[in-house]
Structure formats: C-alpha cells, structure tokens
Amino acid sequence: MSHMNQRPLTAEEKVKITKSLALMCATDLRPLSIVEGPGFRNFVANLNPQYKIPSSKTVVKYVEIMYEETKADLVDQIKGKPIALTTDMWTSSANDGYLTLTGHFIDENWSLHSVVLATR
C-alpha cells in the first residue's frame, strides 16, 4: 500500500497511538527512550509516516496518567473488602534485591484477584 494515499491522522488517532506506545513501554518493560532510537523511528515511519513520534517526556506523561487511572480503579475494586497481603523477595541476575507486596481479595462474585501493590 502506498503511503501517499494515506489521509492525515486525526488528533484522536494520534492520542490513541501514543497511548498504545506508552502501554507497550509499560507492559513490556521497555525504556521510554526507545522513541528516540533511529531504528524505532524508521520502523514507525514504515508503519505510518503520518504519525509523529512523541518525545520520551510525552510518553512519560502518558505512562503517569495510566498509572493514576489504574491506581484509582484498584482503590475502587478493593474499597471495603478484606484484603490479604503477601510478600516475595528475590535477587536479580545483577545481584539487586527486590521485595514485592501483593494484595489478594475476593470480589462479590467470589472470584479471587491478586494485584501487585509495590515492588522495591
């Protein structure tokens, strides 16, 4: 398909793509600086030259917004419910120590949910 026949992206489409990019970085644990790499820029230009790749600072803002939305949803889910907490410790291959706090709760349909509350 020729890129010349593509119509310009709407503002809504640009936001949707940028949200998707931020989600990819967060879920795949990719560095936010990926957007500055020439290989990534070339890849995106081949996918859709109409999309202007945002700066890593913009992607950070989108990740922060997703974090706040997810946190608010989680607070709503567990509000008023008993919650059990468990911890897990491990050491990475780089010899860094980690501790994770996980919350477990049962919803009104008796489904068990486990959510990571923090990792340090």
Side-chain angles (χ1 to χ4, degrees):
M1 176 164 103
S2 170
H3 293 300
M4 290 187 197
N5 296 333
Q6 288 183 347
R7 61 172 176 68
L9 294 172
T10 65
E12 188 176 272
E13 290 169 325
K14 290 175 188 176
V15 167
K16 182 179 178 183
I17 293 170
T18 303
K19 282 182 179 179
S20 180
L21 172 59
L23 183 62
M24 179 203 73
C25 289
T27 48
D28 293 350
L29 302 176
R30 299 291 174 229
L32 301 173
S33 62
I34 192 172
V35 299
E36 295 159 4
F40 182 79
R41 290 186 168 278
N42 181 59
F43 175 70
V44 171
N46 279 293
L47 286 177
N48 189 337
Q50 303 295 323
Y51 179 66
K52 183 181 180 301
I53 299 171
S55 69
S56 58
K57 288 182 182 182
T58 299
V59 178
V60 166
K61 289 177 188 174
Y62 276 82
V63 169
E64 289 171 345
I65 290 167
M66 286 188 311
Y67 169 80
E68 291 301 330
E69 290 171 349
T70 302
K71 181 180 171 183
D73 288 345
L74 177 59
V75 168
D76 285 343
Q77 284 181 42
I78 64 175
K79 193 177 291 179
K81 293 181 180 77
I83 185 167
L85 301 175
T86 59
T87 60
D88 187 23
M89 295 177 67
W90 74 95
T91 304
S92 73
S93 57
N95 212 24
D96 296 321
Y98 291 93
L99 172 69
T100 293
L101 177 67
T102 304
H104 311 273
F105 64 95
I106 297 173
D107 67 17
E108 41 286 327
N109 298 318
W110 290 93
S111 296
L112 177 63
H113 299 269
S114 298
V115 291
V116 174
L117 301 173
T119 298
R120 300 275 188 255

